[in-house]
PDB file of all heavy atoms in Angstrom:
ATOM      1  N   ASN A 550     189.250  94.403 113.664  1.00 84.00           N
ATOM      2  CA  ASN A 550     189.407  95.389 112.598  1.00 84.00           C
ATOM      3  C   ASN A 550     190.165  94.816 111.414  1.00 84.00           C
ATOM      4  O   ASN A 550     189.853  95.106 110.261  1.00 84.00           O
ATOM      5  CB  ASN A 550     190.128  96.629 113.125  1.00 84.00           C
ATOM      6  CG  ASN A 550     189.187  97.576 113.829  1.00 84.00           C
ATOM      7  OD1 ASN A 550     188.035  97.241 114.072  1.00 84.00           O
ATOM      8  ND2 ASN A 550     189.664  98.757 114.161  1.00 84.00           N
ATOM      9  N   ALA A 551     191.199  94.040 111.695  1.00 86.00           N
ATOM     10  CA  ALA A 551     191.979  93.406 110.641  1.00 86.00           C
ATOM     11  C   ALA A 551     191.493  91.962 110.502  1.00 86.00           C
ATOM     12  O   ALA A 551     191.709  91.138 111.391  1.00 86.00           O
ATOM     13  CB  ALA A 551     193.464  93.453 110.971  1.00 86.00           C
ATOM     14  N   LEU A 552     190.825  91.663 109.391  1.00 90.00           N
ATOM     15  CA  LEU A 552     190.277  90.323 109.205  1.00 90.00           C
ATOM     16  C   LEU A 552     191.404  89.308 109.033  1.00 90.00           C
ATOM     17  O   LEU A 552     192.412  89.591 108.381  1.00 90.00           O
ATOM     18  CB  LEU A 552     189.368  90.294 107.977  1.00 90.00           C
ATOM     19  CG  LEU A 552     188.151  91.223 107.995  1.00 90.00           C
ATOM     20  CD1 LEU A 552     187.282  90.970 106.763  1.00 90.00           C
ATOM     21  CD2 LEU A 552     187.331  91.027 109.261  1.00 90.00           C
ATOM     22  N   PRO A 553     191.258  88.113 109.599  1.00 88.00           N
ATOM     23  CA  PRO A 553     192.286  87.071 109.444  1.00 88.00           C
ATOM     24  C   PRO A 553     192.486  86.716 107.975  1.00 88.00           C
ATOM     25  O   PRO A 553     191.531  86.704 107.190  1.00 88.00           O
ATOM     26  CB  PRO A 553     191.705  85.884 110.228  1.00 88.00           C
ATOM     27  CG  PRO A 553     190.708  86.484 111.169  1.00 88.00           C
ATOM     28  CD  PRO A 553     190.142  87.683 110.462  1.00 88.00           C
ATOM     29  N   GLU A 554     193.727  86.427 107.607  1.00 91.00           N
ATOM     30  CA  GLU A 554     194.048  86.114 106.211  1.00 91.00           C
ATOM     31  C   GLU A 554     193.831  84.613 105.971  1.00 91.00           C
ATOM     32  O   GLU A 554     194.779  83.825 105.983  1.00 91.00           O
ATOM     33  CB  GLU A 554     195.487  86.503 105.883  1.00 91.00           C
ATOM     34  CG  GLU A 554     195.764  87.978 105.998  1.00 91.00           C
ATOM     35  CD  GLU A 554     196.081  88.430 107.413  1.00 91.00           C
ATOM     36  OE1 GLU A 554     196.713  87.670 108.170  1.00 91.00           O
ATOM     37  OE2 GLU A 554     195.664  89.548 107.782  1.00 91.00           O
ATOM     38  N   GLN A 555     192.591  84.223 105.734  1.00 91.00           N
ATOM     39  CA  GLN A 555     192.289  82.808 105.531  1.00 91.00           C
ATOM     40  C   GLN A 555     192.559  82.361 104.108  1.00 91.00           C
ATOM     41  O   GLN A 555     192.828  81.200 103.860  1.00 91.00           O
ATOM     42  CB  GLN A 555     190.836  82.525 105.922  1.00 91.00           C
ATOM     43  CG  GLN A 555     190.547  82.732 107.400  1.00 91.00           C
ATOM     44  CD  GLN A 555     189.241  82.109 107.834  1.00 91.00           C
ATOM     45  OE1 GLN A 555     188.589  81.394 107.076  1.00 91.00           O
ATOM     46  NE2 GLN A 555     188.852  82.362 109.076  1.00 91.00           N
ATOM     47  N   SER A 556     192.465  83.281 103.150  1.00 94.00           N
ATOM     48  CA  SER A 556     192.740  82.942 101.755  1.00 94.00           C
ATOM     49  C   SER A 556     193.166  84.201 101.021  1.00 94.00           C
ATOM     50  O   SER A 556     192.594  85.275 101.240  1.00 94.00           O
ATOM     51  CB  SER A 556     191.501  82.343 101.085  1.00 94.00           C
ATOM     52  OG  SER A 556     191.703  82.206  99.680  1.00 94.00           O
ATOM     53  N   PRO A 557     194.137  84.092 100.093  1.00 95.00           N
ATOM     54  CA  PRO A 557     194.550  85.263  99.318  1.00 95.00           C
ATOM     55  C   PRO A 557     193.647  85.531  98.116  1.00 95.00           C
ATOM     56  O   PRO A 557     193.914  86.451  97.350  1.00 95.00           O
ATOM     57  CB  PRO A 557     195.967  84.885  98.863  1.00 95.00           C
ATOM     58  CG  PRO A 557     195.913  83.396  98.738  1.00 95.00           C
ATOM     59  CD  PRO A 557     194.984  82.913  99.821  1.00 95.00           C
ATOM     60  N   GLU A 558     192.606  84.760  97.943  1.00 96.00           N
ATOM     61  CA  GLU A 558     191.744  84.890  96.774  1.00 96.00           C
ATOM     62  C   GLU A 558     190.450  85.627  97.114  1.00 96.00           C
ATOM     63  O   GLU A 558     189.921  85.507  98.217  1.00 96.00           O
ATOM     64  CB  GLU A 558     191.412  83.516  96.198  1.00 96.00           C
ATOM     65  CG  GLU A 558     192.627  82.764  95.696  1.00 96.00           C
ATOM     66  CD  GLU A 558     192.260  81.387  95.151  1.00 96.00           C
ATOM     67  OE1 GLU A 558     191.142  80.917  95.461  1.00 96.00           O
ATOM     68  OE2 GLU A 558     193.067  80.812  94.407  1.00 96.00           O
ATOM     69  N   LEU A 559     189.944  86.374  96.141  1.00 97.00           N
ATOM     70  CA  LEU A 559     188.644  87.029  96.224  1.00 97.00           C
ATOM     71  C   LEU A 559     187.783  86.528  95.077  1.00 97.00           C
ATOM     72  O   LEU A 559     188.270  86.333  93.955  1.00 97.00           O
ATOM     73  CB  LEU A 559     188.782  88.552  96.098  1.00 97.00           C
ATOM     74  CG  LEU A 559     189.474  89.321  97.214  1.00 97.00           C
ATOM     75  CD1 LEU A 559     189.631  90.781  96.792  1.00 97.00           C
ATOM     76  CD2 LEU A 559     188.693  89.230  98.516  1.00 97.00           C
ATOM     77  N   LEU A 560     186.515  86.327  95.354  1.00 97.00           N
ATOM     78  CA  LEU A 560     185.542  86.070  94.301  1.00 97.00           C
ATOM     79  C   LEU A 560     184.882  87.410  93.982  1.00 97.00           C
ATOM     80  O   LEU A 560     184.339  88.067  94.874  1.00 97.00           O
ATOM     81  CB  LEU A 560     184.503  85.049  94.751  1.00 97.00           C
ATOM     82  CG  LEU A 560     183.424  84.665  93.732  1.00 97.00           C
ATOM     83  CD1 LEU A 560     184.056  84.054  92.487  1.00 97.00           C
ATOM     84  CD2 LEU A 560     182.417  83.709  94.352  1.00 97.00           C
ATOM     85  N   VAL A 561     184.966  87.809  92.718  1.00 97.00           N
ATOM     86  CA  VAL A 561     184.512  89.141  92.315  1.00 97.00           C
ATOM     87  C   VAL A 561     183.445  89.012  91.240  1.00 97.00           C
ATOM     88  O   VAL A 561     183.573  88.211  90.311  1.00 97.00           O
ATOM     89  CB  VAL A 561     185.679  89.991  91.766  1.00 97.00           C
ATOM     90  CG1 VAL A 561     185.217  91.411  91.478  1.00 97.00           C
ATOM     91  CG2 VAL A 561     186.849  89.985  92.730  1.00 97.00           C
ATOM     92  N   GLU A 562     182.405  89.794  91.356  1.00 97.00           N
ATOM     93  CA  GLU A 562     181.431  89.955  90.277  1.00 97.00           C
ATOM     94  C   GLU A 562     181.365  91.431  89.948  1.00 97.00           C
ATOM     95  O   GLU A 562     181.037  92.266  90.812  1.00 97.00           O
ATOM     96  CB  GLU A 562     180.056  89.447  90.671  1.00 97.00           C
ATOM     97  CG  GLU A 562     179.054  89.537  89.524  1.00 97.00           C
ATOM     98  CD  GLU A 562     177.698  88.945  89.864  1.00 97.00           C
ATOM     99  OE1 GLU A 562     177.398  88.790  91.065  1.00 97.00           O
ATOM    100  OE2 GLU A 562     176.930  88.643  88.929  1.00 97.00           O
ATOM    101  N   GLY A 563     181.695  91.770  88.698  1.00 96.00           N
ATOM    102  CA  GLY A 563     181.737  93.167  88.324  1.00 96.00           C
ATOM    103  C   GLY A 563     181.709  93.362  86.831  1.00 96.00           C
ATOM    104  O   GLY A 563     181.544  92.416  86.047  1.00 96.00           O
ATOM    105  N   THR A 564     181.893  94.606  86.432  1.00 94.00           N
ATOM    106  CA  THR A 564     181.839  94.994  85.025  1.00 94.00           C
ATOM    107  C   THR A 564     183.239  95.028  84.437  1.00 94.00           C
ATOM    108  O   THR A 564     184.144  95.667  84.994  1.00 94.00           O
ATOM    109  CB  THR A 564     181.185  96.378  84.876  1.00 94.00           C
ATOM    110  OG1 THR A 564     179.855  96.319  85.403  1.00 94.00           O
ATOM    111  CG2 THR A 564     181.130  96.804  83.424  1.00 94.00           C
ATOM    112  N   ILE A 565     183.409  94.345  83.292  1.00 94.00           N
ATOM    113  CA  ILE A 565     184.690  94.315  82.587  1.00 94.00           C
ATOM    114  C   ILE A 565     184.552  95.132  81.308  1.00 94.00           C
ATOM    115  O   ILE A 565     183.589  94.977  80.553  1.00 94.00           O
ATOM    116  CB  ILE A 565     185.104  92.873  82.228  1.00 94.00           C
ATOM    117  CG1 ILE A 565     185.151  91.996  83.483  1.00 94.00           C
ATOM    118  CG2 ILE A 565     186.448  92.868  81.503  1.00 94.00           C
ATOM    119  CD1 ILE A 565     186.220  92.372  84.459  1.00 94.00           C
ATOM    120  N   VAL A 566     185.523  96.036  81.077  1.00 90.00           N
ATOM    121  CA  VAL A 566     185.552  96.815  79.832  1.00 90.00           C
ATOM    122  C   VAL A 566     186.928  96.652  79.194  1.00 90.00           C
ATOM    123  O   VAL A 566     187.933  96.481  79.895  1.00 90.00           O
ATOM    124  CB  VAL A 566     185.257  98.311  80.093  1.00 90.00           C
ATOM    125  CG1 VAL A 566     183.874  98.496  80.673  1.00 90.00           C
ATOM    126  CG2 VAL A 566     186.313  98.917  80.999  1.00 90.00           C
ATOM    127  N   PRO A 567     187.007  96.702  77.860  1.00 88.00           N
ATOM    128  CA  PRO A 567     188.311  96.631  77.190  1.00 88.00           C
ATOM    129  C   PRO A 567     188.987  97.997  77.203  1.00 88.00           C
ATOM    130  O   PRO A 567     188.330  99.034  77.094  1.00 88.00           O
ATOM    131  CB  PRO A 567     187.948  96.207  75.772  1.00 88.00           C
ATOM    132  CG  PRO A 567     186.568  96.765  75.565  1.00 88.00           C
ATOM    133  CD  PRO A 567     185.886  96.703  76.909  1.00 88.00           C
ATOM    134  N   VAL A 568     190.301  98.011  77.325  1.00 84.00           N
ATOM    135  CA  VAL A 568     191.073  99.253  77.260  1.00 84.00           C
ATOM    136  C   VAL A 568     192.242  99.065  76.320  1.00 84.00           C
ATOM    137  O   VAL A 568     192.795  97.962  76.192  1.00 84.00           O
ATOM    138  CB  VAL A 568     191.579  99.693  78.654  1.00 84.00           C
ATOM    139  CG1 VAL A 568     190.423 100.030  79.561  1.00 84.00           C
ATOM    140  CG2 VAL A 568     192.465  98.624  79.283  1.00 84.00           C
ATOM    141  N   CYS A 569     192.623 100.151  75.661  1.00 78.00           N
ATOM    142  CA  CYS A 569     193.726 100.112  74.710  1.00 78.00           C
ATOM    143  C   CYS A 569     194.790 101.115  75.137  1.00 78.00           C
ATOM    144  O   CYS A 569     194.475 102.290  75.348  1.00 78.00           O
ATOM    145  CB  CYS A 569     193.240 100.458  73.310  1.00 78.00           C
ATOM    146  SG  CYS A 569     191.916  99.406  72.698  1.00 78.00           S
ATOM    147  N   PRO A 570     196.031 100.690  75.262  1.00 70.00           N
ATOM    148  CA  PRO A 570     197.096 101.633  75.599  1.00 70.00           C
ATOM    149  C   PRO A 570     197.201 102.731  74.553  1.00 70.00           C
ATOM    150  O   PRO A 570     197.010 102.497  73.369  1.00 70.00           O
ATOM    151  CB  PRO A 570     198.355 100.754  75.620  1.00 70.00           C
ATOM    152  CG  PRO A 570     197.838  99.378  75.882  1.00 70.00           C
ATOM    153  CD  PRO A 570     196.516  99.305  75.194  1.00 70.00           C
ATOM    154  N   ASN A 571     197.470 103.933  75.008  1.00 63.00           N
ATOM    155  CA  ASN A 571     197.556 105.087  74.130  1.00 63.00           C
ATOM    156  C   ASN A 571     198.814 105.007  73.283  1.00 63.00           C
ATOM    157  O   ASN A 571     199.916 104.798  73.802  1.00 63.00           O
ATOM    158  CB  ASN A 571     197.552 106.369  74.968  1.00 63.00           C
ATOM    159  CG  ASN A 571     197.206 107.591  74.139  1.00 63.00           C
ATOM    160  OD1 ASN A 571     197.566 107.690  72.980  1.00 63.00           O
ATOM    161  ND2 ASN A 571     196.477 108.509  74.753  1.00 63.00           N
ATOM    162  N   THR A 572     198.667 105.191  71.961  1.00 49.00           N
ATOM    163  CA  THR A 572     199.828 105.157  71.074  1.00 49.00           C
ATOM    164  C   THR A 572     200.445 106.532  70.873  1.00 49.00           C
ATOM    165  O   THR A 572     201.385 106.679  70.116  1.00 49.00           O
ATOM    166  CB  THR A 572     199.414 104.601  69.703  1.00 49.00           C
ATOM    167  OG1 THR A 572     198.329 105.397  69.189  1.00 49.00           O
ATOM    168  CG2 THR A 572     198.941 103.160  69.838  1.00 49.00           C
ATOM    169  N   GLY A 573     199.904 107.522  71.572  1.00 46.00           N
ATOM    170  CA  GLY A 573     200.421 108.872  71.449  1.00 46.00           C
ATOM    171  C   GLY A 573     201.584 109.113  72.382  1.00 46.00           C
ATOM    172  O   GLY A 573     202.207 108.185  72.905  1.00 46.00           O
ATOM    173  N   PRO A 574     201.910 110.392  72.635  1.00 43.00           N
ATOM    174  CA  PRO A 574     203.066 110.730  73.467  1.00 43.00           C
ATOM    175  C   PRO A 574     202.866 110.400  74.934  1.00 43.00           C
ATOM    176  O   PRO A 574     203.829 110.356  75.682  1.00 43.00           O
ATOM    177  CB  PRO A 574     203.214 112.242  73.261  1.00 43.00           C
ATOM    178  CG  PRO A 574     201.839 112.714  72.908  1.00 43.00           C
ATOM    179  CD  PRO A 574     201.230 111.598  72.118  1.00 43.00           C
ATOM    180  N   GLN A 575     201.602 110.173  75.380  1.00 44.00           N
ATOM    181  CA  GLN A 575     201.349 109.887  76.789  1.00 44.00           C
ATOM    182  C   GLN A 575     201.461 108.384  77.012  1.00 44.00           C
ATOM    183  O   GLN A 575     200.485 107.646  76.917  1.00 44.00           O
ATOM    184  CB  GLN A 575     199.962 110.397  77.182  1.00 44.00           C
ATOM    185  CG  GLN A 575     199.806 111.893  76.983  1.00 44.00           C
ATOM    186  CD  GLN A 575     198.360 112.326  77.154  1.00 44.00           C
ATOM    187  OE1 GLN A 575     197.447 111.543  77.001  1.00 44.00           O
ATOM    188  NE2 GLN A 575     198.164 113.590  77.491  1.00 44.00           N
ATOM    189  N   GLU A 576     202.640 107.923  77.281  1.00 48.00           N
ATOM    190  CA  GLU A 576     202.850 106.483  77.330  1.00 48.00           C
ATOM    191  C   GLU A 576     202.218 105.841  78.558  1.00 48.00           C
ATOM    192  O   GLU A 576     202.003 104.638  78.570  1.00 48.00           O
ATOM    193  CB  GLU A 576     204.340 106.161  77.293  1.00 48.00           C
ATOM    194  CG  GLU A 576     205.119 106.664  78.496  1.00 48.00           C
ATOM    195  CD  GLU A 576     206.529 106.108  78.533  1.00 48.00           C
ATOM    196  OE1 GLU A 576     206.742 105.036  77.956  1.00 48.00           O
ATOM    197  OE2 GLU A 576     207.403 106.757  79.129  1.00 48.00           O
ATOM    198  N   PHE A 577     201.900 106.616  79.583  1.00 58.00           N
ATOM    199  CA  PHE A 577     201.304 106.058  80.782  1.00 58.00           C
ATOM    200  C   PHE A 577     199.795 106.324  80.782  1.00 58.00           C
ATOM    201  O   PHE A 577     199.238 106.818  81.743  1.00 58.00           O
ATOM    202  CB  PHE A 577     201.941 106.649  82.038  1.00 58.00           C
ATOM    203  CG  PHE A 577     203.368 106.252  82.220  1.00 58.00           C
ATOM    204  CD1 PHE A 577     204.379 107.113  81.872  1.00 58.00           C
ATOM    205  CD2 PHE A 577     203.703 105.007  82.721  1.00 58.00           C
ATOM    206  CE1 PHE A 577     205.701 106.751  82.013  1.00 58.00           C
ATOM    207  CE2 PHE A 577     205.027 104.638  82.883  1.00 58.00           C
ATOM    208  CZ  PHE A 577     206.026 105.505  82.514  1.00 58.00           C
ATOM    209  N   SER A 578     199.118 106.015  79.673  1.00 64.00           N
ATOM    210  CA  SER A 578     197.683 106.224  79.606  1.00 64.00           C
ATOM    211  C   SER A 578     197.041 105.179  78.709  1.00 64.00           C
ATOM    212  O   SER A 578     197.704 104.489  77.942  1.00 64.00           O
ATOM    213  CB  SER A 578     197.367 107.632  79.080  1.00 64.00           C
ATOM    214  OG  SER A 578     197.891 107.793  77.772  1.00 64.00           O
ATOM    215  N   CYS A 579     195.721 105.048  78.850  1.00 68.00           N
ATOM    216  CA  CYS A 579     194.932 104.152  78.021  1.00 68.00           C
ATOM    217  C   CYS A 579     193.721 104.913  77.513  1.00 68.00           C
ATOM    218  O   CYS A 579     193.277 105.882  78.132  1.00 68.00           O
ATOM    219  CB  CYS A 579     194.455 102.935  78.815  1.00 68.00           C
ATOM    220  SG  CYS A 579     195.756 101.799  79.333  1.00 68.00           S
TER     221      CYS A 579
END
Side-chain angles (χ1 to χ4, degrees):
N550 278 9
L552 300 186
E554 297 84 35
Q555 295 195 7
S556 171
E558 297 179 343
L559 292 174
L560 181 60
V561 185
E562 183 176 19
T564 300
I565 304 294
V566 298
V568 296
C569 303
N571 198 325
T572 56
Q575 300 170 337
E576 64 170 335
F577 293 100
S578 61
C579 292

